[in-house]
């Protein structure tokens, strides 16, 4: 039996020295005149960030801040695979009956996406205030400071199994989830495979299907007679832009992740440009600081499983075993799990609301005027507000977890 143990991030000095050597020896490509962002990350930006990474960025200072968080590790084994050491943040609220919430990140994100939510969600819970949450934010397998598998076939079902078993090990037999990007698909898979435990999910990348009369007749009628709003039309335009101009990375990572891995594992500048482009293109004018950008990139560079591991989820989710889960399954109706949908204008895929309602029993929807793909980082206030409204008193998922409604019932009103 494995036990939950405190964890301290400590990158070896040798790895810091290797990074410094590579950054000092970096070679850059040329660039076409006045190309801006049309061809990818601009040369001037990448040179500036590389110089900052080499001369000013202090990983030890970042490491110290990360180690102030409640970091833990535990061994978890998905069926048919080796046991993996899984890193996670676990912030327990002082409210004993706080709602257990699994926060699940994606690519090119990491567990730190949950950090801005921690102070917003843990300290409420008394009287008529908003509900409190126990927050669990893992580095999903192969990412950050979690180990990754050495076997083929570790797909969405195994990511879901790992996250589910993590919540069980922490004593949360029943829980709710929040996620975007792969976090959306992983938590959706949890709802499909473990509906008796994963009781409700809030997602900020709703990717439903156009309602059809064969599967969603009522929604199909609504869709037929309800014109798209201006926000929905802009969302469809954003989605089309992503498919035509912004999704090349996905094809590479879903088909030949190993080949790409050689470039990313050998070149920190290549990794920086690969991630930085997404941070720029997928957000809503969010002002990334050099510290934020390089912290995210460094977590991939120093990752326990190695830089190449994080790309493999794209392959496995589109090449599942016969009894596995394909990513398209997460875009279909999943019953029993109460669902909350959050829409942000600069999300990479923003579909009409009737499409989102084909995903399951939708009980909560929100539309936000600003924000993009990394909602918990860009708009932690919006994500926290959604969760408090969805799971708070009077909300559609209030008391969805028996005995854990998020409130201190002994507190004075």
């Amino acid at each position: 039996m494995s036990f939950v143990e405190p964890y301290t991030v400590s990158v070896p000095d040798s790895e810091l020295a290797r990074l410094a050597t590579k950054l000092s020896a970096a070679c850059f490509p040329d660039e076409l005149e006045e190309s801006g962002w049309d061809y990818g990350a601009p040369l001037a930006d990448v040179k500036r960030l590389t110089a900052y990474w080499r001369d000013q960025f202090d990983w030890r200072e970042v490491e110290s801040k990360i180690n102030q968080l409640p970091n833990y590790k535990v061994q978890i084994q998905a069926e048919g695979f080796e046991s993996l050491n899984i890193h996670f943040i676990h912030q327990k609220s002082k409210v004993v009956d706080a709602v257990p919430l699994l926060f699940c990140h994606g690519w090119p994100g990491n567990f730190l996406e949950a950090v801005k939510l921690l102070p917003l969600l843990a300290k409420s819970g008394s009287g008529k205030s908003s509900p409190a949450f126990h927050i669990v934010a893992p580095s999903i397998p192969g990412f950050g400071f979690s180990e990754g598998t050495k076997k083929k076939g570790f797909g969405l079902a195994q990511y879901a199994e790992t996250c589910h078993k993590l919540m069980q090990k922490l004593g949360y037999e029943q829980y709710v989830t929040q996620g975007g990007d792969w976090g959306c698909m992983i938590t959706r898979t949890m709802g499909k495979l473990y509906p008796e435990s994963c009781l409700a999910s809030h997602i900020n990348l709703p990717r439903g299907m156009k309602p059809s009369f064969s599967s969603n007749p009522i929604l199909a009628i609504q869709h037929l007679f309800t014109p798209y709003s201006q926000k929905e039309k802009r969302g469809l335009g954003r989605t089309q832009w992503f498919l035509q101009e912004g999704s090349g990375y996905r094809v590479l990572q879903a088909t030949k992740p190993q080949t790409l891995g050689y470039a990313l594992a050998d070149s920190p500048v290549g990794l920086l440009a690969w991630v930085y482009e997404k941070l720029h293109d997928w957000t809503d004018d969010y002002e990334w600081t050099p510290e934020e950008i390089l912290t995210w990139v460094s977590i991939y560079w120093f990752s326990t499983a190695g830089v190449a591991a994080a790309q493999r989820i794209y392959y496995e989710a589109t090449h599942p075993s016969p009894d596995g889960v394909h990513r398209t399954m997460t875009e279909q109706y999943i019953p029993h799990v109460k669902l909350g949908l959050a829409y942000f204008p600069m999300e990479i895929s923003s579909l009409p609301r009737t499409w989102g309602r084909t995903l399951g029993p939708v009980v909560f929807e929100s539309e936000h005027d600003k924000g993009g793909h990394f909602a918990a980082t860009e708009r932690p206030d919006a994500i926290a507000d959604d969760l408090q409204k969805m799971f708070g008193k009077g909300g559609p998922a209030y008391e969805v977890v028996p005995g854990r409604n998020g409130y201190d019932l002994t507190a004075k009103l």
Side-chain angles (χ1 to χ4, degrees):
M1 180 179 181
S2 62
F3 297 93
V4 174
E5 297 178 341
Y7 175 70
T8 300
V9 178
S10 181
V11 173
D13 289 337
S14 59
E15 286 301 304
L16 294 176
R18 185 172 74 94
L19 173 61
T21 299
K22 285 185 171 292
L23 291 175
S24 296
C27 295
F28 298 91
D30 67 342
E31 182 180 57
L32 299 179
E33 295 179 1
E34 300 180 359
S35 56
W37 282 91
D38 293 345
Y39 292 76
L43 179 60
D45 282 17
V46 175
K47 282 187 171 181
R48 171 178 55 83
L49 288 167
T50 299
Y52 191 100
W53 201 1
R54 182 189 64 227
D55 301 329
Q56 296 177 257
F57 184 73
D58 186 347
W59 170 256
R60 291 301 185 208
E61 182 178 339
V62 171
E63 197 175 67
S64 176
K65 291 179 181 178
I66 292 176
N67 285 331
Q68 293 174 23
L69 299 170
N71 292 281
Y72 299 90
K73 270 198 171 183
V74 68
Q75 291 283 331
I76 296 179
Q77 185 172 11
E79 186 176 352
F81 291 83
E82 72 273 42
S83 180
L84 301 177
N85 212 3
I86 300 299
H87 159 257
F88 61 98
I89 292 173
H90 184 199
Q91 178 175 277
K92 296 194 68 173
S93 171
K94 293 182 180 179
V95 178
V96 176
D97 294 330
V99 182
L101 170 71
L102 174 83
F103 176 92
C104 194
H105 70 83
W107 184 92
N110 58 79
F111 68 98
L112 288 182
E113 291 183 74
V115 168
K116 292 182 180 180
L117 295 174
L118 300 182
L120 301 178
L121 295 177
K123 294 184 178 180
S124 53
S126 61
K128 296 182 179 179
S129 67
S130 301
F133 296 82
H134 297 309
I135 302 173
V136 180
S139 294
I140 62 175
F143 288 68
F145 303 112
S146 288
E147 292 180 335
T149 184
K150 298 300 182 183
K151 298 180 179 181
K152 292 176 59 177
F154 196 101
L156 286 175
Q158 287 71 40
Y159 283 94
E161 182 182 354
T162 300
C163 290
H164 170 68
K165 286 182 174 179
L166 172 60
M167 295 301 279
Q168 301 282 290
K169 282 181 177 288
L170 296 175
Y172 303 132
E173 295 295 325
Q174 296 176 306
Y175 51 83
V176 303
T177 66
Q178 201 290 319
D181 196 84
W182 285 113
C184 168
M185 299 179 201
I186 292 169
T187 57
R188 294 272 295 156
T189 305
M190 294 171 73
K192 179 177 178 63
L193 299 181
Y194 311 104
E196 72 288 349
S197 294
C198 180
L199 303 181
S201 293
H202 177 276
I203 58 176
N204 51 278
L205 182 59
R207 294 174 59 91
M209 303 286 190
K210 183 178 179 180
S212 67
F213 283 95
S214 60
S215 57
N216 304 101
I218 296 177
L219 283 175
I221 293 173
Q222 293 176 353
H223 177 262
L224 183 64
F225 291 102
T226 304
Y228 292 152
S229 68
Q230 289 302 312
K231 287 184 177 180
E232 289 173 322
K233 290 178 181 178
R234 288 193 293 270
L236 285 170
R238 173 70 169 171
T239 303
Q240 192 63 26
W241 166 85
F242 173 72
L243 293 174
Q244 291 184 347
E245 302 290 343
S247 62
Y249 78 97
R250 187 175 63 179
V251 177
L252 289 173
Q253 296 184 172
T255 55
K256 302 297 181 184
Q258 184 67 21
T259 304
L260 175 63
Y262 296 112
L264 299 183
D266 187 61
S267 173
V269 174
L271 175 65
L272 166 61
W274 194 245
V275 172
Y276 174 55
E277 175 200 292
K278 312 306 182 291
L279 301 187
H280 172 272
D281 286 358
W282 296 359
T283 51
D284 192 1
D285 293 326
Y286 179 75
E287 295 183 2
W288 293 97
T289 67
E291 289 289 324
E292 285 180 301
I293 295 167
L294 295 171
T295 294
W296 280 37
V297 176
S298 294
I299 287 174
Y300 279 90
W301 184 257
F302 296 131
S303 62
T304 300
V307 178
Q311 280 67 244
R312 295 177 185 138
I313 187 174
Y314 285 83
Y315 184 93
E316 301 296 1
T318 53
H319 300 78
S321 63
D323 58 347
V325 174
H326 195 283
R327 62 174 290 165
T328 55
M329 183 283 298
T330 66
E331 300 172 9
Q332 300 170 10
Y333 192 90
I334 296 176
H336 311 304
V337 181
K338 291 186 175 183
L339 188 59
L341 309 178
Y343 294 91
F344 291 88
M346 294 302 286
E347 179 56 271
I348 56 177
S349 178
S350 183
L351 301 173
R353 308 307 175 250
T354 51
W355 296 32
R357 293 168 196 153
T358 66
L359 291 171
V362 175
V363 299
F364 179 87
E365 292 176 296
S366 64
E367 289 192 2
H368 301 283
D369 293 330
K370 190 172 181 62
H373 188 66
F374 306 102
T377 296
E378 299 176 66
R379 294 292 314 278
D381 58 320
I383 295 295
D385 187 60
D386 277 10
L387 293 171
Q388 289 163 346
K389 288 178 179 177
M390 181 173 172
F391 296 103
K393 291 180 179 178
Y398 174 57
E399 294 188 322
V400 67
V401 180
R404 295 182 181 271
N405 63 14
Y407 293 88
D408 181 358
L409 299 181
T410 64
K412 295 181 179 180
L413 299 178

